[in-house]
Amino acid sequence: MSQSSAAYPSAVPVGVDTTRASIARVYDAALNGKDNYEVDREVLAQVRTVAPQVNDLAWANRDFLIRACRFLARAGVDQFLDLGSGLPTAENTHQVVQRVNPQSRVVYVDNDPSVLVHAQALLASNTRTRIAEADIFRPFEVLNNATVRNELDFSRPLALFHIGTLHHYLGEDAAALMQTYIDALPAGSFVAIAHFHDPETAEYSELARNMEDKFIHSPMGSGRFRTRAEIQAMFGKLEMVEPGLVRCDDWWPDGPHLLPLSDVRNCIIGGIGRKP
Ligand SMILES: C[S@@+](CC[C@H](N)C(=O)[O-])C[C@H]1O[C@@H](n2cnc3c(N)ncnc32)[C@H](O)[C@@H]1O
C-alpha cells in the first residue's frame, strides 16, 4: 500500500454500496446530511416532483424523535431500544436522553453498513450506548441479540422506538410484528412510533399516494403511507400517552406553530403508548 493511500483512506466505508440507494442515506440527504450519494439524492429528486417539500417529512419525524426522547427521559425511563437508528445527522437519541439522565442506556439497532460504521466511531468512548446489527423487522432476531440482552434489563421498564422505520416494512402484518415486541416488554414500558400517513382526506390523500408511488418505485423501494387505523393497530392495547396518535408536529410541540405546516407534514403521524 502506498503511503498516500494509507494517509488518505477512501471516504466510502468498506461494505457501503454507493450504486444502490439506502434508506438511511436517503433520510440523511433529506436532513441535509453529508453521508449520501447521487443515487440517494435522486430518490428525493423523484419524490420532489410530486411533493416539493418532501424534506419536511424527515424533519417532522426527527423532531418528533427528539421530543419523544426528552419526554420519556424526563418521565424517568433510563433504557432505550432504538430500532433503525439512522446516520448521526441530527441530534441522536443517546445525546438527548443522556443530557437528561447521564446514566441512561441506549442500544441502537440497524443493518445499514454506513450506519454501523458511523455509530461504532461515534460511540467508541460512550460506555452506556451500543449499536447492534440486526433486522428490525425480525423481532426475535432483535430480542435475542446478545448486545440487546446484555445492555438492557428486560425486568425494568424501557422505551422501544420504531420511529421512521415501519413504513419501510412492506408486509401486511406490521401490527403482529409490533405485538411480538410489545409482548416482550415489561409493564410500565413505552413504545414510540412515527409512520408515513395517508390522511384519507380529499386534501392530502392524493399527495400521500403520489409520494408512496415515487418511493416504492424508486431504487430505495419502500415507503408505505398507511392509514390511521393501520398505524394505531401497531400499538396493540397500549395506553396512548396524550395527545395520542397525531401529526408528528402536533405531538408535544416545543411551542405554537409560527408558520403554516407544509402539506407533507399532514402525511406523517406519531405517538407513544404505555404498557400497563
Ligand atoms: C428513516 S431512518 C430513521 C432513523 C431514526 N429512527 C429517526 O427517526 O431519525 C430508518 C433507519 O432504519 C434502518 N432500517 C431500515 N430497515 C431496516 C431493517 N430491516 N433492519 C435494520 N434497520 C433497518 C435504516 O438503515 C435507517 O437507518
Side-chain angles (χ1 to χ4, degrees):
M1 183 189 287
S2 73
Q3 236 184 348
S4 61
S5 68
Y8 302 105
S10 163
V12 179
V14 175
V16 174
D17 183 350
T18 61
T19 63
R20 285 180 47 209
S22 108
I23 294 167
R25 297 192 322 242
V26 171
Y27 184 63
D28 175 75
L31 295 176
N32 307 323
K34 57 178 177 42
D35 296 302
N36 53 79
Y37 304 98
E38 189 54 36
V39 66
D40 307 305
R41 295 187 287 273
E42 182 53 29
V43 172
L44 290 176
Q46 286 178 29
V47 182
R48 215 166 271 131
T49 61
V50 295
Q53 311 284 331
V54 63
N55 288 19
D56 283 2
L57 270 185
W59 282 112
N61 179 81
R62 191 66 178 201
D63 289 341
F64 168 80
L65 167 88
I66 292 170
R67 294 196 305 279
C69 285
R70 214 161 48 215
F71 173 84
L72 290 166
R74 286 179 183 163
V77 179
D78 63 358
Q79 313 189 83
F80 295 81
L81 179 54
D82 189 351
L83 305 177
S85 52
L87 286 153
T89 317
E91 207 176 25
N92 302 289
T93 296
H94 71 284
Q95 291 159 324
V96 182
V97 301
Q98 289 172 356
R99 193 159 56 233
V100 177
N101 176 3
Q103 302 303 315
S104 300
R105 287 194 174 275
V106 178
V107 176
Y108 293 112
V109 182
D110 213 290
N111 67 354
D112 185 302
S114 307
V115 172
L116 298 170
V117 166
H118 278 283
Q120 274 147 9
L122 183 73
L123 303 174
S125 60
N126 187 322
T127 57
R128 296 187 170 271
T129 311
R130 293 277 180 267
I131 177 117
E133 181 176 1
D135 185 338
I136 59 174
F137 302 139
R138 294 173 182 256
F140 290 116
E141 188 177 317
V142 172
L143 293 167
N144 293 325
N145 179 280
T147 303
V148 171
R149 283 287 157 190
N150 291 341
E151 297 297 318
L152 303 176
D153 176 358
F154 275 73
S155 69
R156 293 197 303 111
L158 52 91
L160 181 145
F161 291 172
H162 239 305
I163 299 183
T165 47
L166 286 158
H167 39 245
H168 297 296
Y169 179 70
L170 300 181
E172 299 302 327
D173 54 348
L177 183 161
M178 281 308 299
Q179 192 59 49
T180 305
Y181 280 118
I182 293 168
D183 288 344
L185 297 177
S189 293
F190 293 88
V191 171
I193 296 172
H195 197 296
F196 290 167
H197 176 221
D198 174 356
E200 300 176 280
T201 62
E203 221 175 345
Y204 300 120
S205 215
E206 193 181 341
L207 175 64
R209 297 266 73 88
N210 287 342
M211 285 194 283
E212 177 176 284
D213 183 56
K214 292 291 181 188
F215 274 126
I216 289 187
H217 294 105
S218 77
M220 191 175 76
S222 62
R224 177 148 287 169
F225 286 68
R226 293 191 168 95
T227 64
R228 180 187 180 74
E230 288 173 317
I231 300 167
Q232 184 64 63
M234 296 175 197
F235 290 93
K237 293 193 166 65
L238 298 181
E239 294 168 349
M240 296 305 289
V241 171
E242 289 297 322
L245 181 59
V246 295
R247 288 187 305 191
C248 283
D249 285 286
D250 293 333
W251 198 93
W252 285 92
D254 288 328
H257 302 311
L258 297 177
L259 298 170
L261 297 184
S262 61
D263 289 353
V264 300
R265 288 179 182 266
N266 293 284
C267 299
I268 183 157
I269 59 177
I272 296 185
R274 181 179 180 278
K275 186 166 177 176

Short mmCIF file of all heavy atoms in Angstrom, two decimals, residues 33-81:
data_model
loop_
_atom_site.label_atom_id
_atom_site.label_comp_id
_atom_site.label_asym_id
_atom_site.label_seq_id
_atom_site.Cartn_x
_atom_site.Cartn_y
_atom_site.Cartn_z
N GLY A 33 -27.77 16.08 5.52
CA GLY A 33 -26.54 15.47 5.99
C GLY A 33 -25.53 15.33 4.85
O GLY A 33 -25.81 15.67 3.70
N LYS A 34 -24.35 14.78 5.19
CA LYS A 34 -23.28 14.69 4.18
C LYS A 34 -22.94 13.25 3.80
O LYS A 34 -22.10 13.03 2.95
CB LYS A 34 -22.04 15.41 4.68
CG LYS A 34 -21.53 14.88 6.01
CD LYS A 34 -20.28 15.58 6.47
CE LYS A 34 -19.81 15.10 7.82
NZ LYS A 34 -19.88 13.65 8.07
N ASP A 35 -23.61 12.28 4.43
CA ASP A 35 -23.26 10.88 4.19
C ASP A 35 -24.22 10.24 3.19
O ASP A 35 -24.88 9.25 3.49
CB ASP A 35 -23.27 10.11 5.52
CG ASP A 35 -22.20 10.63 6.44
OD1 ASP A 35 -21.03 10.62 6.04
OD2 ASP A 35 -22.54 11.11 7.54
N ASN A 36 -24.33 10.85 2.01
CA ASN A 36 -25.22 10.30 0.99
C ASN A 36 -24.60 10.49 -0.37
O ASN A 36 -23.67 11.28 -0.53
CB ASN A 36 -26.59 10.99 1.09
CG ASN A 36 -26.47 12.50 1.05
OD1 ASN A 36 -26.31 13.09 -0.01
ND2 ASN A 36 -26.50 13.14 2.22
N TYR A 37 -25.11 9.74 -1.35
CA TYR A 37 -24.55 9.74 -2.69
C TYR A 37 -25.62 10.12 -3.70
O TYR A 37 -26.80 10.20 -3.37
CB TYR A 37 -23.95 8.35 -3.00
CG TYR A 37 -22.93 7.95 -1.96
CD1 TYR A 37 -23.26 7.11 -0.91
CD2 TYR A 37 -21.63 8.48 -2.00
CE1 TYR A 37 -22.33 6.78 0.06
CE2 TYR A 37 -20.70 8.14 -1.03
CZ TYR A 37 -21.05 7.30 0.01
OH TYR A 37 -20.13 7.00 0.96
N GLU A 38 -25.18 10.30 -4.95
CA GLU A 38 -26.08 10.74 -6.01
C GLU A 38 -27.32 9.84 -6.09
O GLU A 38 -28.45 10.32 -6.23
CB GLU A 38 -25.31 10.72 -7.34
CG GLU A 38 -26.05 11.35 -8.50
CD GLU A 38 -26.52 12.77 -8.22
OE1 GLU A 38 -25.81 13.53 -7.54
OE2 GLU A 38 -27.64 13.12 -8.67
N VAL A 39 -27.10 8.53 -5.96
CA VAL A 39 -28.21 7.59 -6.08
C VAL A 39 -29.26 7.82 -4.98
O VAL A 39 -30.46 7.63 -5.19
CB VAL A 39 -27.67 6.13 -6.06
CG1 VAL A 39 -27.05 5.77 -4.70
CG2 VAL A 39 -28.71 5.12 -6.45
N ASP A 40 -28.83 8.27 -3.82
CA ASP A 40 -29.76 8.56 -2.71
C ASP A 40 -30.50 9.87 -2.97
O ASP A 40 -31.72 9.95 -2.79
CB ASP A 40 -28.98 8.67 -1.38
CG ASP A 40 -28.11 7.45 -1.13
OD1 ASP A 40 -28.67 6.33 -1.15
OD2 ASP A 40 -26.89 7.60 -0.93
N ARG A 41 -29.74 10.88 -3.39
CA ARG A 41 -30.36 12.19 -3.64
C ARG A 41 -31.36 12.10 -4.80
O ARG A 41 -32.35 12.82 -4.83
CB ARG A 41 -29.28 13.23 -3.94
CG ARG A 41 -28.36 13.47 -2.73
CD ARG A 41 -27.40 14.62 -2.95
NE ARG A 41 -26.32 14.34 -3.88
CZ ARG A 41 -25.14 13.79 -3.53
NH1 ARG A 41 -24.89 13.45 -2.28
NH2 ARG A 41 -24.21 13.58 -4.43
N GLU A 42 -31.12 11.16 -5.74
CA GLU A 42 -32.01 11.00 -6.88
C GLU A 42 -33.40 10.51 -6.43
O GLU A 42 -34.42 10.87 -7.01
CB GLU A 42 -31.37 10.03 -7.89
CG GLU A 42 -32.16 9.78 -9.15
CD GLU A 42 -32.58 11.07 -9.90
OE1 GLU A 42 -31.87 12.08 -9.81
OE2 GLU A 42 -33.65 11.03 -10.54
N VAL A 43 -33.44 9.70 -5.36
CA VAL A 43 -34.74 9.24 -4.83
C VAL A 43 -35.56 10.45 -4.40
O VAL A 43 -36.74 10.59 -4.75
CB VAL A 43 -34.54 8.28 -3.63
CG1 VAL A 43 -35.88 7.96 -2.98
CG2 VAL A 43 -33.82 7.01 -4.07
N LEU A 44 -34.91 11.35 -3.66
CA LEU A 44 -35.63 12.56 -3.20
C LEU A 44 -36.03 13.43 -4.38
O LEU A 44 -37.12 14.01 -4.38
CB LEU A 44 -34.75 13.35 -2.23
CG LEU A 44 -34.52 12.70 -0.88
CD1 LEU A 44 -33.55 13.54 -0.05
CD2 LEU A 44 -35.83 12.51 -0.12
N ALA A 45 -35.17 13.51 -5.39
CA ALA A 45 -35.49 14.33 -6.56
C ALA A 45 -36.76 13.82 -7.23
O ALA A 45 -37.62 14.59 -7.66
CB ALA A 45 -34.32 14.33 -7.53
N GLN A 46 -36.89 12.48 -7.27
CA GLN A 46 -38.10 11.90 -7.89
C GLN A 46 -39.34 12.22 -7.06
O GLN A 46 -40.38 12.57 -7.59
CB GLN A 46 -37.94 10.39 -8.02
CG GLN A 46 -36.97 9.98 -9.13
CD GLN A 46 -36.79 8.47 -9.20
OE1 GLN A 46 -37.68 7.72 -8.85
NE2 GLN A 46 -35.63 8.04 -9.65
N VAL A 47 -39.23 12.12 -5.74
CA VAL A 47 -40.39 12.39 -4.89
C VAL A 47 -40.73 13.88 -4.94
O VAL A 47 -41.90 14.27 -4.91
CB VAL A 47 -40.14 11.93 -3.43
CG1 VAL A 47 -41.38 12.17 -2.57
CG2 VAL A 47 -39.74 10.46 -3.38
N ARG A 48 -39.69 14.69 -5.08
CA ARG A 48 -39.91 16.15 -5.11
C ARG A 48 -40.78 16.58 -6.29
O ARG A 48 -41.42 17.62 -6.24
CB ARG A 48 -38.54 16.84 -5.17
CG ARG A 48 -38.49 18.14 -4.42
CD ARG A 48 -37.06 18.62 -4.20
NE ARG A 48 -36.48 18.10 -2.99
CZ ARG A 48 -35.29 17.52 -2.90
NH1 ARG A 48 -34.54 17.36 -3.96
NH2 ARG A 48 -34.86 17.08 -1.74
N THR A 49 -40.84 15.75 -7.34
CA THR A 49 -41.67 16.12 -8.49
C THR A 49 -43.15 16.12 -8.12
O THR A 49 -43.96 16.79 -8.75
CB THR A 49 -41.44 15.17 -9.70
OG1 THR A 49 -41.80 13.83 -9.30
CG2 THR A 49 -40.01 15.19 -10.18
N VAL A 50 -43.52 15.36 -7.08
CA VAL A 50 -44.93 15.35 -6.65
C VAL A 50 -45.10 16.03 -5.28
O VAL A 50 -46.22 16.36 -4.88
CB VAL A 50 -45.50 13.91 -6.58
CG1 VAL A 50 -45.55 13.29 -7.96
CG2 VAL A 50 -44.72 13.03 -5.60
N ALA A 51 -43.98 16.20 -4.54
CA ALA A 51 -44.05 16.79 -3.19
C ALA A 51 -42.80 17.64 -2.98
O ALA A 51 -41.80 17.17 -2.43
CB ALA A 51 -44.12 15.68 -2.14
N PRO A 52 -42.85 18.90 -3.42
CA PRO A 52 -41.64 19.74 -3.36
C PRO A 52 -41.07 19.85 -1.95
O PRO A 52 -39.88 20.07 -1.80
CB PRO A 52 -42.14 21.10 -3.86
CG PRO A 52 -43.39 20.80 -4.65
CD PRO A 52 -43.99 19.57 -4.05
N GLN A 53 -41.91 19.70 -0.92
CA GLN A 53 -41.44 19.86 0.47
C GLN A 53 -41.06 18.53 1.11
O GLN A 53 -41.14 18.39 2.34
CB GLN A 53 -42.53 20.51 1.31
CG GLN A 53 -43.14 21.75 0.72
CD GLN A 53 -42.22 22.94 0.87
OE1 GLN A 53 -41.45 22.98 1.79
NE2 GLN A 53 -42.29 23.88 -0.06
N VAL A 54 -40.69 17.53 0.31
CA VAL A 54 -40.50 16.17 0.86
C VAL A 54 -39.54 16.15 2.06
O VAL A 54 -39.71 15.34 2.98
CB VAL A 54 -40.07 15.17 -0.23
CG1 VAL A 54 -38.73 15.55 -0.83
CG2 VAL A 54 -40.01 13.76 0.32
N ASN A 55 -38.54 17.03 2.08
CA ASN A 55 -37.60 17.02 3.22
C ASN A 55 -38.30 17.24 4.55
O ASN A 55 -37.84 16.78 5.60
CB ASN A 55 -36.53 18.12 3.05
CG ASN A 55 -35.53 17.79 1.95
OD1 ASN A 55 -35.81 16.96 1.10
ND2 ASN A 55 -34.39 18.44 1.98
N ASP A 56 -39.45 17.92 4.52
CA ASP A 56 -40.19 18.18 5.77
C ASP A 56 -40.69 16.89 6.42
O ASP A 56 -40.90 16.86 7.63
CB ASP A 56 -41.39 19.09 5.51
CG ASP A 56 -40.98 20.55 5.34
OD1 ASP A 56 -39.77 20.84 5.40
OD2 ASP A 56 -41.88 21.39 5.14
N LEU A 57 -40.89 15.85 5.60
CA LEU A 57 -41.30 14.54 6.18
C LEU A 57 -40.23 14.07 7.15
O LEU A 57 -40.51 13.60 8.25
CB LEU A 57 -41.41 13.48 5.07
CG LEU A 57 -42.71 13.25 4.33
CD1 LEU A 57 -42.52 12.06 3.40
CD2 LEU A 57 -43.88 13.03 5.26
N ALA A 58 -38.97 14.18 6.70
CA ALA A 58 -37.84 13.73 7.53
C ALA A 58 -37.69 14.62 8.77
O ALA A 58 -37.46 14.11 9.88
CB ALA A 58 -36.56 13.74 6.71
N TRP A 59 -37.84 15.92 8.59
CA TRP A 59 -37.67 16.82 9.74
C TRP A 59 -38.78 16.62 10.77
O TRP A 59 -38.52 16.62 11.99
CB TRP A 59 -37.62 18.29 9.29
CG TRP A 59 -36.27 18.63 8.72
CD1 TRP A 59 -35.98 18.92 7.42
CD2 TRP A 59 -35.03 18.69 9.42
NE1 TRP A 59 -34.64 19.16 7.28
CE2 TRP A 59 -34.03 19.03 8.49
CE3 TRP A 59 -34.67 18.48 10.75
CZ2 TRP A 59 -32.68 19.17 8.85
CZ3 TRP A 59 -33.33 18.62 11.11
CH2 TRP A 59 -32.36 18.96 10.16
N ALA A 60 -40.02 16.43 10.30
CA ALA A 60 -41.13 16.21 11.24
C ALA A 60 -40.86 14.95 12.05
O ALA A 60 -41.08 14.90 13.27
CB ALA A 60 -42.45 16.09 10.48
N ASN A 61 -40.35 13.92 11.37
CA ASN A 61 -40.05 12.64 12.03
C ASN A 61 -38.92 12.80 13.06
O ASN A 61 -39.04 12.38 14.21
CB ASN A 61 -39.64 11.63 10.95
CG ASN A 61 -39.28 10.28 11.50
OD1 ASN A 61 -40.16 9.48 11.79
ND2 ASN A 61 -37.99 10.02 11.68
N ARG A 62 -37.83 13.44 12.64
CA ARG A 62 -36.66 13.55 13.53
C ARG A 62 -36.97 14.45 14.73
O ARG A 62 -36.55 14.17 15.86
CB ARG A 62 -35.46 14.11 12.75
CG ARG A 62 -34.16 14.01 13.52
CD ARG A 62 -33.74 12.57 13.73
NE ARG A 62 -32.47 12.44 14.41
CZ ARG A 62 -31.70 11.37 14.38
NH1 ARG A 62 -32.06 10.30 13.71
NH2 ARG A 62 -30.55 11.33 15.03
N ASP A 63 -37.71 15.52 14.50
CA ASP A 63 -38.05 16.40 15.62
C ASP A 63 -38.98 15.69 16.61
O ASP A 63 -38.88 15.90 17.82
CB ASP A 63 -38.70 17.69 15.10
CG ASP A 63 -37.68 18.58 14.39
OD1 ASP A 63 -36.47 18.40 14.61
OD2 ASP A 63 -38.10 19.46 13.61
N PHE A 64 -39.86 14.81 16.08
CA PHE A 64 -40.70 14.00 16.97
C PHE A 64 -39.82 13.08 17.82
O PHE A 64 -40.01 12.94 19.03
CB PHE A 64 -41.70 13.18 16.13
CG PHE A 64 -42.41 12.10 16.91
CD1 PHE A 64 -43.49 12.40 17.73
CD2 PHE A 64 -41.99 10.78 16.82
CE1 PHE A 64 -44.14 11.41 18.46
CE2 PHE A 64 -42.64 9.78 17.55
CZ PHE A 64 -43.71 10.10 18.37
N LEU A 65 -38.85 12.45 17.18
CA LEU A 65 -37.94 11.55 17.90
C LEU A 65 -37.27 12.30 19.06
O LEU A 65 -37.21 11.79 20.19
CB LEU A 65 -36.87 11.02 16.94
CG LEU A 65 -35.68 10.33 17.60
CD1 LEU A 65 -35.94 8.85 17.80
CD2 LEU A 65 -34.41 10.48 16.79
N ILE A 66 -36.78 13.49 18.79
CA ILE A 66 -36.06 14.25 19.82
C ILE A 66 -36.99 14.62 20.98
O ILE A 66 -36.65 14.47 22.15
CB ILE A 66 -35.39 15.49 19.18
CG1 ILE A 66 -34.26 15.04 18.25
CG2 ILE A 66 -34.87 16.45 20.25
CD1 ILE A 66 -33.67 16.11 17.37
N ARG A 67 -38.23 15.03 20.65
CA ARG A 67 -39.17 15.39 21.72
C ARG A 67 -39.59 14.15 22.51
O ARG A 67 -39.77 14.19 23.73
CB ARG A 67 -40.38 16.13 21.15
CG ARG A 67 -40.04 17.50 20.56
CD ARG A 67 -41.28 18.36 20.36
NE ARG A 67 -42.29 17.73 19.55
CZ ARG A 67 -42.30 17.69 18.22
NH1 ARG A 67 -41.33 18.26 17.53
NH2 ARG A 67 -43.28 17.10 17.56
N ALA A 68 -39.75 13.03 21.80
CA ALA A 68 -40.11 11.77 22.49
C ALA A 68 -39.00 11.36 23.46
O ALA A 68 -39.27 10.93 24.58
CB ALA A 68 -40.36 10.66 21.46
N CYS A 69 -37.76 11.52 23.04
CA CYS A 69 -36.61 11.19 23.91
C CYS A 69 -36.66 12.04 25.17
O CYS A 69 -36.51 11.54 26.29
CB CYS A 69 -35.29 11.49 23.20
SG CYS A 69 -34.85 10.31 21.95
N ARG A 70 -36.86 13.32 24.99
CA ARG A 70 -36.86 14.25 26.12
C ARG A 70 -38.01 13.91 27.07
O ARG A 70 -37.85 13.83 28.28
CB ARG A 70 -37.01 15.67 25.59
CG ARG A 70 -36.28 16.69 26.39
CD ARG A 70 -36.06 17.97 25.61
NE ARG A 70 -37.25 18.46 24.95
CZ ARG A 70 -37.25 19.06 23.77
NH1 ARG A 70 -36.13 19.25 23.12
NH2 ARG A 70 -38.37 19.49 23.24
N PHE A 71 -39.18 13.68 26.48
CA PHE A 71 -40.38 13.37 27.28
C PHE A 71 -40.15 12.11 28.11
O PHE A 71 -40.41 12.08 29.32
CB PHE A 71 -41.57 13.18 26.33
CG PHE A 71 -42.81 12.70 27.00
CD1 PHE A 71 -43.67 13.60 27.62
CD2 PHE A 71 -43.12 11.35 27.05
CE1 PHE A 71 -44.82 13.15 28.27
CE2 PHE A 71 -44.26 10.89 27.69
CZ PHE A 71 -45.11 11.80 28.31
N LEU A 72 -39.65 11.07 27.49
CA LEU A 72 -39.52 9.78 28.18
C LEU A 72 -38.39 9.83 29.22
O LEU A 72 -38.52 9.28 30.31
CB LEU A 72 -39.28 8.66 27.16
CG LEU A 72 -40.51 8.36 26.30
CD1 LEU A 72 -40.13 7.50 25.10
CD2 LEU A 72 -41.59 7.67 27.12
N ALA A 73 -37.30 10.49 28.89
CA ALA A 73 -36.20 10.59 29.86
C ALA A 73 -36.67 11.38 31.08
O ALA A 73 -36.37 11.00 32.22
CB ALA A 73 -34.99 11.25 29.21
N ARG A 74 -37.43 12.44 30.86
CA ARG A 74 -37.93 13.22 31.99
C ARG A 74 -38.96 12.43 32.78
O ARG A 74 -39.14 12.65 33.98
CB ARG A 74 -38.55 14.53 31.51
CG ARG A 74 -37.49 15.53 31.07
CD ARG A 74 -38.14 16.81 30.59
NE ARG A 74 -37.16 17.76 30.09
CZ ARG A 74 -37.45 18.80 29.33
NH1 ARG A 74 -38.69 19.04 28.98
NH2 ARG A 74 -36.50 19.61 28.93
N ALA A 75 -39.64 11.49 32.12
CA ALA A 75 -40.64 10.66 32.81
C ALA A 75 -39.95 9.55 33.62
O ALA A 75 -40.63 8.74 34.25
CB ALA A 75 -41.62 10.06 31.81
N GLY A 76 -38.64 9.48 33.54
CA GLY A 76 -37.90 8.52 34.37
C GLY A 76 -37.42 7.28 33.65
O GLY A 76 -36.80 6.41 34.26
N VAL A 77 -37.70 7.16 32.35
CA VAL A 77 -37.21 6.00 31.61
C VAL A 77 -35.70 6.15 31.42
O VAL A 77 -35.22 7.22 31.05
CB VAL A 77 -37.90 5.88 30.23
CG1 VAL A 77 -37.36 4.69 29.45
CG2 VAL A 77 -39.41 5.78 30.39
N ASP A 78 -34.96 5.07 31.71
CA ASP A 78 -33.49 5.18 31.57
C ASP A 78 -32.89 4.07 30.71
O ASP A 78 -31.69 3.85 30.73
CB ASP A 78 -32.82 5.23 32.96
CG ASP A 78 -33.05 3.94 33.74
OD1 ASP A 78 -33.75 3.05 33.24
OD2 ASP A 78 -32.52 3.84 34.87
N GLN A 79 -33.76 3.38 29.93
CA GLN A 79 -33.27 2.36 29.00
C GLN A 79 -34.02 2.54 27.67
O GLN A 79 -35.27 2.58 27.68
CB GLN A 79 -33.59 0.95 29.46
CG GLN A 79 -33.29 0.62 30.90
CD GLN A 79 -33.46 -0.87 31.10
OE1 GLN A 79 -32.54 -1.63 30.80
NE2 GLN A 79 -34.63 -1.29 31.54
N PHE A 80 -33.27 2.58 26.58
CA PHE A 80 -33.88 2.87 25.27
C PHE A 80 -33.38 1.85 24.24
O PHE A 80 -32.17 1.64 24.11
CB PHE A 80 -33.51 4.28 24.82
CG PHE A 80 -34.09 5.35 25.72
CD1 PHE A 80 -33.46 5.68 26.92
CD2 PHE A 80 -35.27 5.99 25.40
CE1 PHE A 80 -34.01 6.64 27.76
CE2 PHE A 80 -35.83 6.94 26.23
CZ PHE A 80 -35.19 7.27 27.42
N LEU A 81 -34.34 1.26 23.54
CA LEU A 81 -34.02 0.35 22.44
C LEU A 81 -34.50 1.05 21.17
O LEU A 81 -35.71 1.11 20.90
CB LEU A 81 -34.74 -1.00 22.65
CG LEU A 81 -34.54 -2.07 21.58
CD1 LEU A 81 -33.05 -2.35 21.32
CD2 LEU A 81 -35.25 -3.37 21.99
#
